[in-house]
Amino acid sequence: MLVKTPRKRSSKRNSVSPTEKLDEKDDDVHILKPKVRKTSLANGTTRPQGLYKPAIFADDGENGLSDSESYVRISKEEAMKEGSRPARVYADGIYDMFHSGHARALMQAKNLFPNTHLIVGVCNDQLTHKNKGRTVMSEGERYEALRHCRYVDEVVRNAPWTLDEDFLKKHRIDFVAHDDIPYAASGSEDVYKHIKAAGMFCATQRTEGISTSDVITRIVKDYDVYVRRNLQRGYSAKELNISFIREKKISVQNTVDNVKDKLKDMGEKYKELVGKLEDQTHELLDKWKERSNDFVRNFIEMYGTMNQYKEQIIEAISPGRMSPTASPQNRLPIADTEYESPRSPAFLVNEAAGNLHAFNNQE
């Protein structure tokens, strides 16, 4: 397998202080390991493997282990000591639709000891479908998902459903990490029972609210939504495993929904346009009223003989003044009553002209 030679980087950028704390929410993790993956060798030494390189496969022969060399497990007390050889921790599972719950469990396993080499076993499709049920992702996809998780150093393909002594010795496993809930299988109420009895078990905590079953349940719950979504994105009815009639029905429904959305947008734009027209109309009316009052004032100013009535007329057309009632006989003096409607410019001009004529007759 061809692997690009990684470029050398400064050690300051490749690692952080071992005493740097993780997020306060991760109560089960106390120390952040250096950001350089280290692969353990048979003689207890390690070699750096940057996070920009995926984890190795156990059967590729890159882990430096030899069947001819003896391997002695270390205890938890020895693994916690600084300077001890890497503790080889094994975590197994299906890891279908790899999500944050899986990643957090592996993070906990990686941080069990100051120096940990994390090995992840993934069961193949045949074994998984037989013992647990059908998966969404194929075994190859699940292997690759684990290889590209930052906490994983080594991936075991075709992992067994239960761990026997030969498997533990072959992969030099010191400890097994898994959540503490008993995992039943055919003929056993807990497949990790013998691991716990040997003192090799390390419990991790499950992440509430996220699991493969939860994700699949969400998809099943909104099945129609996702079918319509993928049809719009170009998937065929055959790929989605739906009938021709159902495909056409969904296509018609999508068209109807698109028309509704367009009409809704047009309705919003229409409301906005009407609002703007109303504002412009009020503005024009205000300007017209102002200009009409100016016109009457200018008309009155043009005639010198009417100057004696100018103040009365201007006062009459000022805001707040009211015109007399329709019947002239019922009119009262201006100072003694309030009028019901404003005087029009024509009424004011006629009244001014009548007053002027009466004044000329008196002379």
Side-chain angles (χ1 to χ4, degrees):
M1 182 177 66
L2 293 176
V3 179
K4 293 183 180 180
T5 303
R7 292 177 294 177
K8 293 183 178 179
R9 295 189 179 185
S10 170
S11 60
K12 291 183 179 179
R13 298 188 62 182
N14 279 342
S15 62
V16 295
S17 171
T19 58
E20 182 178 346
K21 294 273 179 96
L22 283 175
D23 189 345
E24 292 180 358
K25 295 180 180 179
D26 300 325
D27 297 330
D28 49 346
V29 179
H30 304 291
I31 301 176
L32 179 65
K33 300 300 181 297
K35 288 187 176 180
V36 176
R37 179 178 293 125
K38 294 183 178 181
T39 302
S40 61
L41 302 179
N43 58 7
T45 61
T46 60
R47 65 181 181 186
Q49 183 182 24
L51 289 178
Y52 45 81
K53 182 180 178 182
I56 62 174
F57 285 124
D59 52 1
D60 280 349
E62 297 183 14
N63 55 11
L65 300 179
S66 174
D67 294 335
S68 60
E69 297 181 9
S70 61
Y71 187 80
V72 179
R73 295 193 185 106
I74 59 175
S75 64
K76 292 182 180 180
E77 292 74 15
E78 292 174 325
M80 291 301 296
K81 294 179 181 179
E82 292 291 340
S84 64
R85 70 163 175 82
R88 294 175 64 81
V89 177
Y90 179 80
D92 59 356
I94 310 303
Y95 301 106
D96 191 22
M97 300 183 71
F98 189 81
H99 51 72
S100 61
H102 293 139
R104 287 179 64 85
L106 296 176
M107 178 187 69
Q108 295 173 58
K110 180 68 175 177
N111 287 276
L112 286 170
F113 306 103
N115 192 2
T116 301
H117 180 83
L118 181 59
I119 310 165
V120 178
V122 184
C123 301
N124 60 31
D125 287 345
Q126 182 180 1
L127 186 61
T128 302
H129 296 171
K130 176 184 176 181
N131 292 314
K132 193 169 184 178
R134 188 173 182 82
T135 57
V136 177
M137 299 170 65
S138 67
E139 60 186 49
E141 292 170 332
R142 293 183 285 118
Y143 296 152
E144 286 300 315
L146 268 300
R147 287 190 73 202
H148 292 84
C149 176
R150 63 181 298 177
Y151 311 112
V152 180
D153 297 298
E154 187 176 339
V155 174
V156 176
R157 291 179 283 200
N158 304 311
W161 202 259
T162 58
L163 307 177
D164 56 23
E165 189 62 27
D166 291 338
F167 181 84
L168 297 174
K169 288 181 178 180
K170 177 182 177 180
H171 295 282
R172 309 291 199 271
I173 296 171
D174 296 311
F175 306 101
V176 176
H178 200 274
D179 64 75
D180 203 19
I181 301 174
Y183 201 93
S186 58
S188 175
E189 60 183 16
D190 187 2
V191 296
Y192 299 106
K193 184 177 181 180
H194 63 293
I195 301 294
K196 296 175 180 177
M200 297 173 59
F201 189 82
C202 297
T204 57
Q205 300 297 319
R206 296 177 66 90
T207 301
E208 294 296 331
I210 181 69
S211 69
T212 300
S213 297
D214 290 338
V215 175
I216 294 176
T217 299
R218 296 178 204 171
I219 297 173
V220 172
K221 179 182 177 182
D222 297 322
Y223 169 77
D224 289 339
V225 174
Y226 293 114
V227 169
R228 292 174 61 180
R229 168 186 178 272
N230 280 12
L231 280 176
Q232 287 180 320
R233 296 193 175 191
Y235 286 85
S236 66
K238 183 177 180 181
E239 290 173 314
L240 295 172
N241 195 29
I242 60 175
S243 66
F244 175 81
I245 296 177
R246 181 169 175 76
E247 177 192 16
K248 296 307 176 185
K249 181 180 178 181
I250 293 174
S251 297
V252 170
Q253 187 62 48
N254 285 338
T255 303
V256 172
D257 290 344
N258 289 335
V259 172
K260 287 181 179 179
D261 292 338
K262 289 181 180 179
L263 290 176
K264 184 178 179 181
D265 292 340
M266 291 176 62
E268 295 296 330
K269 292 179 181 179
Y270 174 75
K271 289 180 181 179
E272 183 179 354
L273 177 61
V274 170
K276 290 182 179 179
L277 290 176
E278 288 180 350
D279 293 340
Q280 293 177 359
T281 300
H282 291 310
E283 184 178 353
L284 289 173
L285 289 173
D286 291 340
K287 289 183 178 180
W288 179 85
K289 181 178 179 181
E290 181 181 351
R291 289 180 180 179
S292 64
N293 290 339
D294 291 342
F295 170 78
V296 173
R297 288 186 176 90
N298 292 336
F299 177 83
I300 295 172
E301 294 285 351
M302 290 174 61
Y303 298 94
T305 56
M306 295 176 62
N307 280 342
Q308 59 181 315
Y309 302 106
K310 179 179 67 174
E311 296 299 331
Q312 179 184 355
I313 295 174
I314 290 177
E315 181 182 359
I317 66 173
S318 298
R321 298 291 299 178
M322 309 298 289
S323 64
T325 58
S327 175
Q329 292 81 3
N330 296 332
R331 283 191 300 178
L332 297 174
I334 294 177
D336 297 337
T337 187
E338 298 221 354
Y339 303 111
E340 297 177 356
S341 59
R343 299 179 179 183
S344 66
F347 175 84
L348 295 173
V349 171
N350 290 333
E351 185 180 41
N355 291 336
L356 178 62
H357 180 70
F359 176 78
N360 291 332
N361 290 337
Q362 291 177 2
E363 293 181 349

